[in-house]
Structures are given as structure tokens and as C-alpha cells.
Amino acid sequence: MSPLQKPPVANDLKHRVIICLNKLSDRDTVSVATTELESIAKNLSTPDSFSHFLNCIHNTDSSSKSPVRKQCVSLLTLLSRSHGNSLSPHLSKMISTITRRLRDPDSAVRSACVEATFAMSSQITDPPFSTLSKPLIDLLTIDQDLNAQIGAALCLAAAIEAAPEPEVEQLRKVLPRLGKLVKGEGFKAKAALLSVIRSIVGVGGASSKGILDWLVPCLVEFLCSEDWAARKAAAEALGKVASIEKKLAKEHKATCLTSLETRRFDKVWGAVNILSIFISLGLAWLLRKCVQIISFFFFFFFFFNRKRLQFEGKKLN
């Protein structure tokens, strides 16, 4: 066989996948095609078979119908859960497939990208986390398309939350860059990027006074945004700061309470919820003391009442 010729097995796999992808475009055969593609994906076993299968998925272009585009992304989720670290050499190809779909006008396709990124981050753990995060961060800073910005941000947040080891130090270094980006007038997907910041805070990426000194005022500023989604995302990010960085966050409590007080009638539930979080931070010490005092008096009441009952019992006898 010529070196340029593909093995029969590879040709057969490619042929089967292409036939199934064509069937996805027909409403009458979409169910059968989906089942067969999932079966093929689960039964892949060699590096070459992974490579050929992923190439077929990757080569699907925007001219394909929405069910085809969505299913190709959803298969990445299935592959990740079925084969885990066996896919490590192919992770870059899988990420490339995701980033190609983030401009998709169909929100269902973009949602599938987020789900696939979560699965890849949690199941394919041999490569460094930056292998997954860097292309998404680069896309955030370069692409001007709103759908791409939203999709990249939501995928990055999902990857951070799913990763067993999300390289916190690297995320800490990139946080100022994201803070500058979210405040820039040219960046459109502010609510989505604020969710990334919340995720970074959640894994300990804001554990320093220097970071919180600029991050908290930045988040507080977004509480007055005209975009309700940005207000909600900022409130949730502040809530994460309050719950993760309790000692450092106390320094900013007064400023936050003042800002949140002005938003107390905001219909966005996050602003109201965060107010209670910061109040609870301020009252946590007093609450603990109250519990201790109540426990102290309860103990002595029980002790002396028991002695009194014993004494009265002796008198009756």
C-alpha cells in the first residue's frame, strides 16, 4: 500500500461518520444518525481513530444545518466523558473545534460549546490547564464579535470551575488583564466576562490585597451599570469575594454597603443577595459572641436548676 494511501479502517471510519453527519440534516433520520455517531464515539480506541473522528467533526463548516453543528460539539462532551486522558494529544484540536463554533448565531450551539469545555476541563487533565484556557483568553482579547466574546467567556468560566487544578497563579496574573478588558468601551460581553472574574475569585485567584484594592471598586462600579446582566454578574462576583476572601473583604465592606444600599430596590436579585452577605460579614463576630453568651447562660441555668430540683427532692424525702 502506498504511504500516501489511508488504511481501509480509517477510510471506513471517515465514510461512516460523514454519512451520519449527512443524516443529521434530515429531520427523519436525525435520531438514528445521532445514536450511531454516539456509538462510534464511545467505541473509538486508538490514537488514529480519535484523530480521524475529530477531523470529521472539525471540518464541519457554518453552511451545515444547526443540528449538525450542535451535534458535532456535543460529541466532544461524549468523547471527553468516555475516553478522558486518552484524548490528551488531541486536546488542542478539540479546543479549535470549540473556538470555531463560538461565533455561531444559534445559542444552542454556543451552549453546547460551554458544556463541552466543562467536560474537557474536568476529564482531560494530563495537559496543563493553560492548554485549554489560553486560546479562550486570546479569543476574548482579540475577537470583536459579541457571540464569540460571550461564548469564550462562558467557556472559560466553565473550564475554571471544572478543572481539578486550574493553575491559580497563572489566573491571578491574567486577572488584571481581564479587569482592564471588562472596563474597556470596545468590549461588549461585560456580564459574561464578569462571570469569568467570579470564577477566578472562586478558585483563589484574588487572594491578595493588591488585587482586591482594584477589583472590588471595579465590581462596585458595575453595580450601577445600565445593563442588568452586568449588575447581576458584578453582584455575584462581589458575593464570591465576600465568601472566599472573608478577611481581606472586610476592608472594603463600608464602600460596598454604601453602594449596595443605593441598589436595594434593584429588581436584580443578586444585588439584594449580596447585601445580606456583606452585612453577615460585619456581624459574624458579634453573632459568634452572642451564641457563646447564650450557651454560657443556658449551661448555668441548666446546672443550677438541676441542683435546685435535687435539693427540693431531698426535702420531700
Side-chain angles (χ1 to χ4, degrees):
M1 181 171 59
S2 169
L4 297 177
Q5 290 180 322
K6 294 182 179 179
V9 174
N11 283 328
D12 180 60
L13 174 62
K14 182 179 179 181
H15 182 66
R16 289 175 62 199
V17 173
I18 290 175
I19 288 176
C20 289
L21 292 176
N22 290 333
K23 288 180 178 179
L24 286 176
S25 301
D26 189 334
R27 187 165 50 186
D28 295 332
T29 56
V30 63
S31 179
V32 174
T34 299
T35 301
E36 186 171 352
L37 278 170
E38 290 177 350
S39 176
I40 293 172
K42 289 178 181 178
N43 290 294
L44 297 174
S45 58
T46 65
D48 283 345
S49 66
F50 290 136
S51 180
H52 295 310
F53 188 83
L54 290 170
N55 281 337
C56 291
I57 292 174
H58 182 79
N59 290 335
T60 303
D61 57 30
S62 57
S63 64
S64 302
K65 291 186 177 181
S66 181
V68 181
R69 304 195 306 272
K70 180 178 181 295
Q71 184 60 26
C72 284
V73 176
S74 297
L75 285 169
L76 296 178
T77 302
L78 179 64
L79 284 168
S80 300
R81 292 173 178 169
S82 301
H83 303 289
N85 281 321
S86 298
L87 293 164
S88 294
H90 310 283
L91 182 59
S92 295
K93 187 74 169 183
M94 298 170 73
I95 297 167
S96 178
T97 302
I98 292 290
T99 54
R100 286 188 68 193
R101 288 283 158 260
L102 292 180
R103 280 176 169 264
D104 201 293
D106 189 339
S107 61
V109 177
R110 301 197 302 273
S111 296
C113 289
V114 177
E115 184 180 357
T117 305
F118 187 94
M120 289 156 59
S121 182
S122 61
Q123 303 298 324
I124 309 174
T125 56
D126 279 351
F129 178 71
S130 55
T131 306
L132 180 56
S133 63
K134 189 177 183 303
L136 295 171
I137 294 171
D138 290 343
L139 187 63
L140 275 173
T141 56
I142 295 172
D143 206 310
Q144 299 298 310
D145 180 76
L146 177 59
N147 287 338
Q149 289 179 351
I150 294 173
L154 295 179
C155 285
L156 182 56
I160 293 169
E161 293 173 7
E165 297 181 9
E167 296 184 7
V168 175
E169 189 57 38
Q170 293 299 320
L171 291 174
R172 186 178 291 118
K173 290 179 180 178
V174 82
L175 192 54
R177 182 179 167 193
L178 299 182
K180 184 178 180 180
L181 185 64
V182 77
K183 293 186 71 174
E185 293 183 2
F187 190 82
K188 304 170 187 175
K190 297 186 184 296
L193 188 51
L194 287 168
S195 71
V196 176
I197 292 174
R198 181 196 65 207
S199 298
I200 294 176
V201 171
V203 297
S207 298
S208 79
K209 183 180 183 302
I211 291 178
L212 290 186
D213 283 349
W214 68 260
L215 177 58
V216 172
C218 174
L219 296 175
V220 168
E221 184 179 337
F222 274 102
L223 292 178
C224 298
S225 172
E226 294 181 359
D227 181 1
W228 71 266
R231 296 200 307 275
K232 181 175 182 291
E236 291 173 344
L238 279 171
K240 189 64 71 173
V241 170
S243 60
I244 300 296
E245 308 297 341
K246 293 182 180 179
K247 292 182 180 179
L248 292 171
K250 286 182 180 180
E251 185 175 329
H252 301 278
K253 186 187 63 161
T255 303
C256 291
L257 284 175
T258 301
S259 299
L260 288 165
E261 177 64 19
T262 65
R263 308 301 304 178
R264 66 186 183 278
F265 298 118
D266 198 320
K267 293 182 179 180
V268 178
W269 67 267
V272 179
N273 186 52
I274 194 66
L275 178 60
S276 65
I277 292 175
F278 271 95
I279 290 176
S280 69
L281 281 175
L283 299 179
W285 180 84
L286 179 60
L287 182 61
R288 286 196 299 269
K289 286 297 180 184
C290 288
V291 171
Q292 291 174 359
I293 292 171
I294 292 171
S295 299
F296 177 81
F297 279 107
F298 179 79
F299 171 77
F300 274 96
F301 173 80
F302 177 78
F303 178 79
F304 284 113
N305 193 50
R306 181 182 177 187
K307 289 292 184 182
R308 183 178 62 80
L309 290 174
Q310 288 177 347
F311 177 74
E312 290 178 355
K314 288 181 181 179
K315 287 178 63 177
L316 289 173
N317 292 332

